[in-house]
Amino acid sequence: MVKQERAARTRESLVHAAAEVFAEEGFTAASIAEISRRAGVTSGALHFHFDGKTSLALAVEERAGRALREAAVVQGERDRAGGPLRVLVGSTYTMLSLLAEDVAVRAAFALCADTTHSGRMDLRRQWRAWVQELLVGAERAGLLAEGVSPHDATDLVVALTVGLDGLGGFEADQEARELLHRIWTVVLPGIAGGEAAAAVLVEAFDEEETD
């Protein structure tokens, strides 16, 4: 049992260290030596748990995927009564917090854009699927503006939010959140329009002020 706990801690340290290095340096520049050093283990110990950088990257992506799914579930339960558009806007604030606080999420998004790494999980695709599901729900509820398709709206929202890591340099501070709110103030009326957009923006801004 003690050995198993020690092995689990070592694996945890290695995944965290790998996430830090991938987020900072990218997949190609990341070295096993640096990951081992940050984890406080030898390269031999690293290879006992992982075959190499690719298996480490996959472990980082899997952890980030779990974090994103768990956050989506929590966000959905919290804002479900406000409808799919409220969940969508709230999810972008949640994503901002994840990028600031979870290095595995930052690393996974960086790995998505790295052509030298071919992972099993594309966090951007997962995020896109979540956004599209919510916008399809909004269309069914009659909340989208006339002539706006869920597909086109999804492209727009993903394009705007995939770079959320730049809003405040990974800091989910008030300034970054206010910038995100200004973005939604411009974009949401074009997607939803009318009273639906106004209500969602008021709810989102009020909640951010109280958090």
Side-chain angles (χ1 to χ4, degrees):
M1 181 64 71
V2 174
K3 287 184 178 180
Q4 291 177 342
E5 291 176 353
R6 186 182 302 117
R9 287 196 299 270
T10 299
R11 185 180 177 87
E12 172 77 16
S13 297
L14 284 166
V15 174
H16 183 80
E20 288 183 338
V21 177
F22 290 144
E24 294 170 11
E25 302 180 9
F27 182 76
T28 301
S31 70
I32 291 296
E34 177 60 16
I35 293 170
S36 300
R37 185 190 69 78
R38 294 199 190 193
V41 302
T42 65
S43 295
L46 183 152
H47 285 292
F48 177 81
H49 293 277
F50 296 97
D51 294 337
K53 283 199 301 183
T54 297
S55 60
L56 274 165
L58 293 176
V60 170
E61 289 172 326
E62 288 172 4
R63 173 171 300 178
R66 287 197 304 272
L68 187 59
R69 288 191 297 272
E70 290 168 3
V73 169
V74 170
Q75 189 70 45
E77 290 298 323
R78 185 173 73 171
D79 290 337
R80 189 68 66 189
L85 289 177
R86 180 67 190 91
V87 178
L88 174 62
V89 173
S91 295
T92 61
Y93 288 96
T94 299
M95 178 65 79
L96 182 61
S97 295
L98 280 174
L99 286 165
E101 299 165 6
D102 193 326
V103 68
V105 173
R106 292 202 301 275
F109 271 103
L111 288 168
C112 289
D114 196 325
T115 58
T116 63
H117 168 66
S118 179
R120 284 198 297 261
M121 179 185 299
D122 187 333
L123 209 61
R124 293 186 183 185
R125 189 177 296 120
Q126 186 173 323
W127 172 241
R128 179 187 177 81
W130 172 245
V131 170
Q132 183 161 304
E133 178 184 337
L134 292 169
L135 286 167
V136 168
E139 181 187 42
R140 289 172 180 164
L143 298 174
L144 296 189
E146 184 177 355
V148 174
S149 74
H151 179 79
D152 291 342
T154 297
D155 287 341
L156 175 61
V157 173
V158 171
L160 288 171
T161 58
V162 77
L164 280 174
D165 55 349
L167 295 181
F170 297 137
E171 296 296 332
D173 57 17
Q174 189 60 31
E175 184 177 350
R177 291 182 176 279
E178 288 174 357
L179 175 55
L180 182 55
H181 184 73
R182 291 197 296 274
I183 289 173
W184 275 119
T185 299
V186 173
V187 171
L188 193 60
I191 294 175
E195 296 180 0
V200 169
L201 289 170
V202 168
E203 290 174 7
F205 188 67
D206 287 347
E207 184 172 305
E208 286 303 311
E209 285 189 327
T210 59
D211 283 352

